[in-house]
Amino acid sequence: MTSVPPPPPFDPELAAALELIREFISPGMSLEEIDEIRRGPAITQSAEMDLTLDGAFEIEDREVPGPPGDPAVPLLICRPTAPSTPAPLPVIYHVHGGGMVLGNNRVGVAGALDYARELDAVVVSVEYRLAPEHPHPAPIEDVYAGLLWTAEHAKEIGGDPERILIMGASAGGGLCAALALLTRDRGGPRPIGQLLLCPMLDDRNDTPSAHQMAGIGIWDRTANETGWTALLGDRRGGPDVSPYAAPARADDLTGLPPAFLDVGSAETFRDEVVTYASRLWQAGGIAELHVWPGGFHGFDGFAPQAAVSQAARAAHVGWLRRLLGV
């Protein structure tokens, strides 16, 4: 692209929040910085959270069988301590973000727990092996193995195997989209829906929004190239990338669970998310798309009190209620 127009402006409340967090988070990330960021507060503070939400959930860490020949997969299982019904509960299968290179099963799970408390659901959060030490297909295969266990043991943890929905933000959203494709193609468990929040979908990293947001916000084109290169190596951006790594590469988007996709207008992933939603509709699928004006990447988690963040979270809960019929 020879001439890049300026990006859409940030929402004023979000712009103020971005100023506050700028000293902790920069938009770019190199491969050399991954180890340092893994040791930083954005990841380590997740271990200090009260995941019970003041006693609303009982928490269990469990290791379950991984892909054949690979290590076990750690799951974080969060069950309501006082469910409103003795009947099996819906299950939110959560996949954490982190650009394919950061995080664990506690990162980002607070959002899933908030929704689960409101909807009376079990949360299962999966921890997958990270790139670059474990490139594709290790992350998606771990996520698939965790889903298999969750579906097979849902009743054991108080869940309904027929009401499992998958949820993830950023890399977690991309992995959820890939998981929907993979379990469709393998005849595995069928989620009832996929909640894809600012999902990381396209390794080609060449959309207008990727160029517009270079050097700006939370996750820019440089960081995106780092994450995809860690996952795919020299294949990134080339002709031989699996849709189970980058769902935007899928030729066939038919037969997928209903999807909710959201993204900010002022973030790298805007255009690939809009395109993916359009392709779901073109394939005859069910999708709800929200593009939040002035939103940066992950804005509702970084600035939950902003009016646009509250609107986004209300939209998530509304969709989940309709999906679950509660």
Side-chain angles (χ1 to χ4, degrees), residues 140-141 144 177-188 244:
I140 186 59
E141 290 292 353
Y144 182 72
L179 179 61
L181 292 165
L182 185 60
T183 196
R184 176 200 66 182
D185 295 346
R186 289 183 177 174
Y244 309 136

Side-chain angles (χ1 to χ4, degrees), residues 232-252:
L232 296 170
D234 293 341
R235 290 174 294 163
R236 184 197 64 79
D240 300 318
V241 172
S242 166
Y244 309 136
R249 298 297 199 116
D251 293 324
D252 179 10

Side-chain angles (χ1 to χ4, degrees), residues 3 54 61 97 122 130 147-148 150 182 205 208 244 273 290:
S3 177
D54 291 327
D61 284 290
V122 176
L130 299 173
L147 178 67
L148 287 180
T150 300
L182 185 60
N205 196 25
Y244 309 136
V273 173
H290 291 258

Side-chain angles (χ1 to χ4, degrees), residues 71-90:
V73 171
L75 297 181
L76 174 71
I77 301 168
C78 311
R79 287 173 281 198
T81 53
S84 62
T85 172
L89 302 176

Side-chain angles (χ1 to χ4, degrees), residues 33 40 57 87 96 103 120 128 140 144 161 168 188 292:
E33 293 172 311
F57 291 91
H96 71 80
D120 212 18
Y128 50 89
I140 186 59
Y144 182 72
W292 299 102

Side-chain angles (χ1 to χ4, degrees), residues 5-312:
F10 291 121
D11 171 270
E13 285 185 284
L14 299 182
L18 198 55
E19 282 300 315
L20 293 175
I21 61 179
R22 193 181 300 276
E23 62 180 290
F24 305 108
I25 299 176
S26 65
M29 178 184 68
S30 67
L31 283 168
E32 293 73 27
E33 293 172 311
I34 290 172
D35 283 341
E36 180 182 351
I37 297 172
R38 285 175 178 172
R39 297 191 297 269
I43 305 301
T44 57
Q45 286 177 2
S46 62
E48 301 166 8
M49 290 171 44
D50 173 24
L51 297 177
T52 73
L53 300 192
D54 291 327
F57 291 91
E58 59 181 51
I59 307 301
E60 177 187 359
D61 284 290
R62 187 179 296 200
E63 290 197 341
V64 305
D70 285 323
V73 171
L75 297 181
L76 174 71
I77 301 168
C78 311
R79 287 173 281 198
T81 53
S84 62
T85 172
L89 302 176
V91 179
I92 299 174
Y93 184 74
H94 173 261
V95 185
H96 71 80
M100 305 293 181
V101 299
L102 308 171
N104 54 51
N105 58 21
R106 282 161 164 74
V107 168
V109 76
L113 288 170
D114 283 341
Y115 299 155
R117 178 165 56 181
E118 191 158 345
L119 300 166
D120 212 18
V122 176
V123 172
V124 177
S125 187
V126 61
E127 186 163 320
Y128 50 89
R129 288 169 291 169
L130 299 173
E133 296 88 344
H134 304 284
H136 177 77
I140 186 59
E141 290 292 353
D142 287 354
V143 169
Y144 182 72
L147 178 67
L148 287 180
W149 185 93
T150 300
E152 291 167 2
H153 297 264
K155 292 181 179 178
E156 175 188 330
I157 60 174
D160 183 348
E162 302 301 320
R163 289 195 297 164
I164 299 173
L165 64 96
I166 57 179
M167 167 186 174
S170 194
L175 284 163
C176 283
L179 179 61
L181 292 165
L182 185 60
T183 196
R184 176 200 66 182
D185 295 346
R186 289 183 177 174
R190 178 177 170 82
I192 63 167
Q194 43 181 332
L195 182 58
L196 310 178
L197 308 177
C198 52
M200 181 177 175
L201 300 168
D202 195 340
D203 65 293
R204 289 165 291 198
N205 196 25
D206 203 29
T207 62
S209 59
H211 287 275
Q212 274 185 315
M213 299 307 300
I216 305 171
I218 293 293
W219 183 264
D220 78 349
R221 192 163 179 259
T222 298
N224 206 34
E225 181 171 327
T226 296
W228 282 116
T229 300
L231 184 72
L232 296 170
D234 293 341
R235 290 174 294 163
R236 184 197 64 79
D240 300 318
V241 172
S242 166
Y244 309 136
R249 298 297 199 116
D251 293 324
D252 179 10
L253 296 182
T254 61
L256 296 172
F260 181 108
L261 305 96
D262 82 351
V263 70
S265 69
E267 73 157 292
T268 299
F269 294 155
R270 181 194 67 216
D271 293 339
E272 65 195 67
V273 173
V274 171
T275 297
Y276 197 75
S278 296
R279 292 187 58 221
L280 287 169
W281 295 319
Q282 290 159 12
I286 300 171
E288 180 172 331
L289 170 67
H290 291 258
V291 181
W292 299 102
F296 59 79
H297 185 62
F299 65 90
D300 56 320
F302 286 106
Q305 299 309 312
V308 68
S309 301
Q310 294 184 36

